[in-house]
Every structure is written in structure tokens, then in C-alpha cells.
Amino acid sequence: MSKKYNVAVVGATGAVGVTMLAILEERGFPVDNVYALASSRSAGKEIQFNDKTIVIEDLAEFDFKKAQIGLFSAGASISKVYAPIAAEAGCVVIDNTSQFRYDDHIPLVVPEVNPEKIANYKDHGIIANPNCSTIQMLVALKPIYDAVGIDRLNVATYQAVSGTGKEAIDELNQQSSDILNDEIISCDVYPKQIAFNVLPHIDVFLDNGYTKEEMKMVWETQKIMGDDNIKVNPTAVRVPVIYGHSEAIHLETKKKITVQEVNELYKNAPGITVLDDRNDGGYATAATESAGQDPVFVSRIREDISHPMGINLWVVSDNVRKGAALNSVQIAEILIQKYI
Ligand code: NAP
Ligand code: 12T
């Protein structure tokens, strides 16, 4: 009989945690016991996993000696406290928060880009999962980077509210309904109206005028590509979409590459689906193609008419799946195939 693993999902009642459980089930991950952990508010509630009823447990009371793998998505402050405790107990942590991503000794992994870094889990027993916007961008850029190099990129994101969590999904739905019914709206999660609006602000503002979400794309791209010289100029924007981040990416490559060559590269690229018919509707959008699906969709591949080394891409993917839960489960699959 092949080996089975005990898996703890931390933040199991959240937008990402629920999807982690669904993806473990869908992909037939070899689970022996699954432990669904959340705050004391959720402890005692029941969920279904592989036709079994699982009772949600309080994270604060859980003994991590019982698990070999911990999938964490309950926020950075929770990971800061509990990931080292889990790792110390012998449970390898795959962490979805920003807590450990920029630590030199902790691998930051996109399986299609740098799977070999998973081996470094041994340093601290923790592997970090990148930010959703970085993951889908790097899946799309890796084939081009390997073929011709990338000097610089400009990117504007159009990010779904599910990236913030379940309360943000509720806020978008409630504001939309209130506005359509001529009621007064309330803004609790975001500082301004998100329904029927666009906000140039994700995560906190930093001293350089960029937001932390924007700087994550800079720091994480350089770390994952292993290239401190790649220049990244991001603008991260929240849009009233529930699932699926979109990105307009403008690349400057080191050697000239044509649209036809990019299409050729994408034919054998893992995790990518090209949809680029250059006619009405012949492109991917967040709600119609990416929501609930695994691939990173690439559309609108064009040579930049203003720059000799420029290529433009439109990249769309489900932020909760490939941007978080799926990427973590793919890391766990490699971990068990090769290392534990
Ligand atoms: P969410 O829908 O708000 O869910 C938060 C989860 O954390 C819930 O399960 C919640 O449990 C749990 N939690 C909160 N406080 C806790 C505590 N004191 N002890 C134990 N569990 C606690 O948020 P989400 O969208 O799933 O995101 C969760 C985190 O994942 C984010 O903060 C972020 O760090 C990370 N994330 C990463 C990415 C990425 O880009 N890779 C994307 C999205 C999210 P209760 O239901 O009991 O409150
Ligand atoms: N603030 O994992 O609000 O660093 O969309 C992911 C998503 C932080 C993270 C968001 C965020 C993260 C968001």
C-alpha cells in the first residue's frame, strides 16, 4: 500500500482553506487523517471531507505531532506563532501568508518555475507559497525568461476581492445589492466603495509610495527567478470581481522574441492555456474562464508597438486556486513524491 499522510489545514473555514480541502479531495491526495483547524469561533462545527465528517478544531489546542504536512492560510500573525511550533513538532509547513516569504533560508516556490527549491524545506521545516499575483505572472513569464531573458516588466493587476477573504466577498455582494436598491452602503473591509468601482490600493502603503502588494511582486519575482537584476514596476488594483485576478503585463526581453515564438513556447509550457483568437470574446476573462479552474490563461499576446524588445500579455487565473490553494497542494505533492 502506498504511503498516506496526516494533513492539517490551518484556516480551514476561510476562502483559501475551504479550497485547499476541496483540491486535496479532487486530486486524490493520499490523506490518512485530515485535521481542519480554525479559531475557537469555529471549533466544533462540522465539514465533509472524502465522505467523512470532520469536526473543526481550535488551532490553539492542536498537537502538530499528529500531522506530517501543515497547509497554513489563517494570516501572517497566526503563521508567525504557529508555523515554527508545527515545524518543531515535525510537521512540514506550506505557508500561504507573507510571513516567511522574504527569509533567505525559506524556499519560495512555484512548482512550474523553481520546484527544486522545495529541497530546502529541511532548513526550517517551512516552505512559503508566493502571493497570488506573483504566481500567475511567473507561470506565464518562465518560458519567455528561459528562452530570451527578461530585463524589465511593467504590470498592472486587476485583483478579485476573494484575495482578501470571505468578509470581502460578502462586502462586494452587500454593496452591490444596496446600490441597486438605492440603500446606503457601508465600507468595512475596504476604505472606499468596491462595488461598481476600482481601487488603486491592495495591502498597506509603504514608505516608497508603493503598496506592499506591489512590492511583493518585485521581491518575490527576484527571489523565485533567482535574478536580482530583473526590474519590476507594478501597480496593484482591486476590482469588483469575486474570483480571478487579471494582469496586463508589458515585458522588455533581452533578445527579441516574436508573437509566433511566444505561442510556440507556450505549447509545451506546464500550467498554461493560451486563448488568443483576436476576435470578439476570443480571450480569457476572470469570471468566464478562470473562476473555479486550474490553468493560468494567457491572451492578447502582442508585440509592443512602442519598444523593439517589448511583448504584451493578458494573464488571468483563479487567485484562490492557482494563486493559493492549488499552488500549495502542488508543492505538497512534490514534497511527498521526493522528500518525505
Ligand atoms: P478568510 O476567508 O478571512 O479566512 C481566514 C481563516 O483564518 C479562517 O479559517 C479563520 O477561522 C482563520 N483564523 C482567523 N483567526 C484565527 C485564529 N486566531 N486562530 C486560528 N484560525 C484563525 O481569509 P483567506 O482568504 O482564506 O486568507 C487567509 C490568509 O491566507 C490571508 O490572511 C493571507 O495571509 C493568506 N492568503 C494568501 C494568498 C496568496 O496570495 N497566496 C491569497 C489569499 C490569502 P474562523 O473562521 O474560525 O475565523
Ligand atoms: N492583502 O498573501 O488582499 O500576502 O488580495 C494575498 C492577497 C495579502 C498575501 C489581498 C493580501 C495576500 C491579499
Side-chain angles (χ1 to χ4, degrees):
M1 232 193 55
S2 61
K3 200 167 164 190
K4 289 189 169 185
Y5 298 83
N6 292 336
V7 180
V9 176
V10 177
T13 54
V16 176
V18 166
T19 310
M20 283 173 164
L21 290 163
I23 291 177
L24 288 169
E25 215 173 47
E26 263 171 51
R27 294 172 73 94
F29 193 89
V31 169
D32 190 3
N33 293 297
V34 68
Y35 300 103
L37 310 176
S39 75
S40 55
R41 298 178 290 274
S42 305
K45 289 185 189 159
E46 291 180 349
I47 55 160
Q48 296 296 312
F49 183 83
N50 278 345
D51 298 328
K52 278 202 278 190
T53 300
I54 313 267
V55 180
I56 311 250
E57 297 179 54
D58 183 352
L59 167 66
E61 315 220 318
F62 184 69
D63 177 3
F64 277 98
K65 287 201 187 74
K66 293 199 273 190
Q68 288 93 52
I69 300 171
L71 302 177
F72 277 57
S73 69
S77 60
I78 305 288
S79 289
K80 185 176 184 181
V81 175
Y82 290 97
I85 293 175
E88 185 61 32
C91 169
V92 180
V93 172
I94 301 171
D95 184 43
N96 243 288
T97 77
S98 55
Q99 182 62 35
F100 303 104
R101 289 180 192 152
Y102 315 114
D103 183 325
D104 285 344
H105 302 287
I106 291 185
L108 182 64
V109 176
V110 181
E112 291 84 349
V113 180
N114 63 342
E116 69 286 352
K117 295 288 181 201
I118 292 172
N120 298 346
Y121 84 90
K122 292 191 180 99
D123 285 0
H124 290 276
I126 301 173
I127 301 165
N129 193 84
N131 179 256
C132 35
S133 305
T134 311
I135 293 175
Q136 68 182 66
M137 180 169 83
L138 295 192
V139 169
L141 296 191
K142 172 73 172 166
I144 299 175
Y145 183 91
D146 287 348
V148 290
I150 295 174
D151 180 40
R152 173 165 186 261
L153 54 103
N154 268 298
V155 52
T157 71
Y158 305 74
Q159 297 185 220
V161 297
S162 54
T164 318
K166 56 193 174 185
E167 285 173 0
I169 300 174
D170 293 344
E171 180 154 301
L172 172 59
N173 286 331
Q174 188 63 47
Q175 285 184 1
S176 304
S177 140
D178 287 346
I179 289 168
L180 292 173
N181 289 298
D182 270 336
E183 311 265 2
I184 292 176
I185 61 158
S186 81
C187 299
D188 302 311
V189 176
Y190 298 117
K192 289 200 175 195
Q193 173 187 327
I194 182 63
F196 307 102
N197 201 10
V198 165
L199 311 182
H201 167 203
I202 297 180
D203 210 333
V204 295
F205 279 86
L206 301 178
D207 289 344
N208 67 355
Y210 283 69
T211 61
K212 187 167 177 197
E213 186 78 356
E214 290 161 350
M215 291 311 296
K216 288 173 200 164
M217 296 182 79
V218 179
W219 300 325
E220 296 177 18
T221 296
Q222 292 177 342
K223 177 166 174 178
I224 296 164
M225 293 303 212
D227 178 356
D228 286 344
N229 295 318
I230 185 166
K231 298 190 269 297
V232 183
N233 182 33
T235 301
V237 178
R238 185 80 64 194
V239 294
V241 166
I242 296 185
Y243 295 107
H245 289 353
S246 309
E247 298 178 338
I249 307 175
H250 310 108
L251 296 176
E252 290 166 27
T253 55
K254 291 199 167 153
K255 276 179 25 203
K256 170 88 187 152
I257 186 167
T258 65
V259 170
Q260 203 186 348
E261 285 163 341
V262 172
N263 272 302
E264 241 359 87
L265 291 173
Y266 282 153
K267 280 189 185 146
N268 300 313
I272 293 180
T273 299
V274 172
L275 197 59
D276 196 13
D277 292 339
R278 296 188 167 188
N279 58 28
D280 294 355
Y283 43 79
T285 76
T288 55
E289 276 72 30
S290 78
Q293 302 299 319
D294 289 348
V296 171
F297 294 90
V298 184
S299 306
R300 305 296 322 279
I301 307 170
R302 284 158 296 149
E303 282 182 39
D304 180 341
I305 54 172
S306 73
H307 193 288
M309 302 286 202
I311 284 279
N312 301 326
L313 309 172
W314 174 252
V315 175
V316 178
S317 191
D318 186 322
N319 55 300
V320 174
R321 291 179 71 91
K322 183 57 187 165
L326 173 62
N327 199 72
S328 293
V329 174
Q330 288 176 307
I331 292 171
E333 287 171 349
I334 298 171
L335 188 69
I336 63 168
Q337 278 158 19
K338 296 194 120 172
Y339 303 104
I340 65 173

